[in-house]
């Protein structure tokens, strides 16, 4: 599973996010599932990759589901590039919002 989400892992490392990965092989379906949790302090964001293998043995990504913290419905992507484009547009906004909340908490504590 080294090559699955390799660009996403590099992107998260560059932004100082922690991540944890796990592999699930469901019994009743031919798809395999790769779960990727990430976050700054808590691993509360989740990417679920459903993939299968072609007859030549290559991995074929069927679906990528992304759930950021407190999202009720997952965002569904077909490729890793679409996922990266979405993360690049959303994570900086989320980081600014977290910084503002952190600053207001510090001001309220004074």
């Amino acid at each position: 599973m080294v090559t699955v989400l390799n660009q996403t892992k590099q992107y998260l490392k560059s932004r100082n996010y922690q991540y944890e990965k796990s592999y699930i092989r469901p019994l009743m379906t031919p798809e395999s599932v790769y779960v990727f949790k990430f976050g700054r302090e808590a691993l509360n964001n989740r990417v679920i990759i459903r993939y299968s293998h072609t007859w030549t043995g290559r991995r074929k990504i069927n679906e990528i589901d992304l759930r950021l913290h407190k999202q009720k419905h997952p965002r569904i992507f077909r490729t890793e590039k679409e996922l990266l484009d979405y993360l690049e547009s959303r994570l900086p906004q989320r980081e600014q919002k977290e910084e503002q909340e952190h600053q207001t908490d510090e001001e309220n504590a004074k």
Side-chain angles (χ1 to χ4, degrees), residues 51-66:
Y51 69 95
S52 59
H53 291 85
T54 62
W55 65 274
T56 58
R58 292 186 175 185
R59 288 186 201 105
K60 176 184 153 194
I61 294 177
N62 299 331
E63 185 177 275
I64 299 174
D65 296 344
L66 171 69

Side-chain angles (χ1 to χ4, degrees), residues 85-97:
D85 291 342
Y86 182 78
L87 287 176
E88 288 176 356
S89 68
R90 294 292 295 164
L91 288 183
Q93 294 172 0
R94 185 170 295 277
E95 290 168 2
Q96 289 175 353
K97 184 178 176 183

Side-chain angles (χ1 to χ4, degrees), residues 47-87:
V47 177
I48 300 172
I49 299 98
R50 289 179 179 80
Y51 69 95
S52 59
H53 291 85
T54 62
W55 65 274
T56 58
R58 292 186 175 185
R59 288 186 201 105
K60 176 184 153 194
I61 294 177
N62 299 331
E63 185 177 275
I64 299 174
D65 296 344
L66 171 69
R67 284 185 187 244
L68 295 177
H69 184 60
K70 296 184 180 179
Q71 279 185 340
K72 300 206 185 313
H73 303 288
R75 303 293 188 257
I76 298 174
F77 304 100
R78 303 294 292 162
T79 63
E80 184 180 8
K81 180 161 181 12
E82 292 175 4
L83 172 66
L84 276 174
D85 291 342
Y86 182 78
L87 287 176

